[in-house]
Amino acid sequence: MEKAEESAFEQFIKRNEQKTLNFLSSTYSALPNESIRDIIQDAYVALHNNIKARKVDGPQYPYFLKICINLSLKALRKQGNLTIVGINDTDIQQKNTISMNKVESILQVSEEQQAVINEKKQLVHDALNEMATRCKELLWSYYADELSWATIAGQFGLKNADVAKTQASRCRKTFKEKYNYLRSLLYDR
């Protein structure tokens, strides 16, 4: 790789290492942190080699994450912590079996968790809908559009990044109050 490509690769590592570590640690909690760090390093090597071989055009996070996931699953299989549940005769042979009652109870819990998540999402939307347009736009610019405070200050005609942060802090406080109020109405019935 050329120096510019190497520099881009180093920036890619700096930008994505922590979020990848967090994702893998939470998704594959059976793996020790040391193993997860090794997996990430192996994925960097694989990505780097694929870029050099021109199999992929530069560092792409979804591609990198897929490498990490595949390496994590491989590590879990090696550890014996991965159970594969077959659906029909052509599926992979099961190491451990799970009763259908257990599967149904897991699915029921998943459905209940999804209902709670959907309820919370609706509360967030309702709280946001009750906020002033400027607050919604300011928070959206930071959290969804991932703009810097300086950019947001310029976009909203504010003096500087500190003023934008202060306004966002007030908006977050307002959001929290509205969210908690709506939540109390829902759960205190």
Side-chain angles (χ1 to χ4, degrees):
M1 279 200 270
E2 296 176 19
K3 282 191 176 196
E5 289 175 317
E6 288 292 339
S7 177
F9 193 79
E10 289 171 15
Q11 289 299 317
F12 174 82
I13 290 171
K14 286 179 187 173
R15 261 192 332 268
N16 297 301
E17 182 139 10
Q18 190 59 49
K19 76 177 173 182
T20 305
L21 180 63
N22 293 343
F23 172 77
L24 294 177
S25 296
S26 66
T27 306
Y28 304 105
S29 58
L31 290 173
N33 273 346
E34 185 177 307
S35 294
I36 291 174
R37 290 187 189 281
D38 291 343
I39 286 167
I40 292 171
Q41 292 306 314
D42 291 345
Y44 286 140
V45 171
L47 178 62
H48 190 270
N49 290 340
N50 289 338
I51 292 171
K52 280 176 62 175
R54 302 287 183 219
K55 292 181 181 178
V56 66
D57 298 328
Q60 299 171 5
Y61 190 70
Y63 182 79
F64 170 72
L65 188 58
K66 187 66 176 169
I67 295 170
C68 290
I69 290 169
N70 289 338
L71 291 173
S72 297
L73 292 172
K74 185 176 180 180
L76 285 170
R77 280 191 297 272
K78 190 183 250 185
Q79 248 179 237
N81 288 343
L82 183 65
T83 301
I84 301 169
V85 179
I87 296 173
N88 59 39
D89 295 338
T90 61
D91 288 333
I92 298 171
Q93 186 70 30
Q94 296 180 29
K95 278 187 170 183
N96 300 316
T97 58
I98 299 176
S99 72
M100 284 310 291
N101 289 339
K102 184 68 173 171
V103 170
E104 288 172 9
S105 72
I106 291 170
L107 291 175
Q108 183 178 4
V109 169
S110 295
E111 289 170 4
E112 290 169 1
Q113 289 172 339
Q114 191 58 48
V116 169
I117 290 169
N118 290 340
E119 200 170 81
K120 286 183 179 181
K121 283 181 183 179
Q122 188 59 48
L123 280 172
V124 167
H125 287 290
D126 292 346
L128 283 172
N129 286 336
E130 289 190 13
M131 293 181 67
T133 303
R134 185 173 179 97
C135 266
K136 283 192 283 192
E137 290 173 352
L138 195 139
L139 293 175
W140 187 266
S141 296
Y142 182 72
Y143 290 106
D145 295 337
E146 298 180 357
L147 299 177
S148 70
W149 289 117
T151 303
I152 293 170
Q155 184 179 9
F156 286 88
L158 302 172
K159 186 175 179 180
N160 57 36
D162 289 334
V163 173
K165 285 182 197 177
T166 302
Q167 283 198 4
S169 176
R170 289 183 191 130
C171 291
R172 280 192 296 272
K173 183 179 177 190
T174 302
F175 169 78
K176 185 176 180 179
E177 289 168 355
K178 290 185 182 299
Y179 178 85
N180 287 335
Y181 174 73
L182 291 171
R183 189 169 182 255
S184 71
L185 290 177
L186 184 67
Y187 291 114
D188 291 343
R189 287 188 251 166

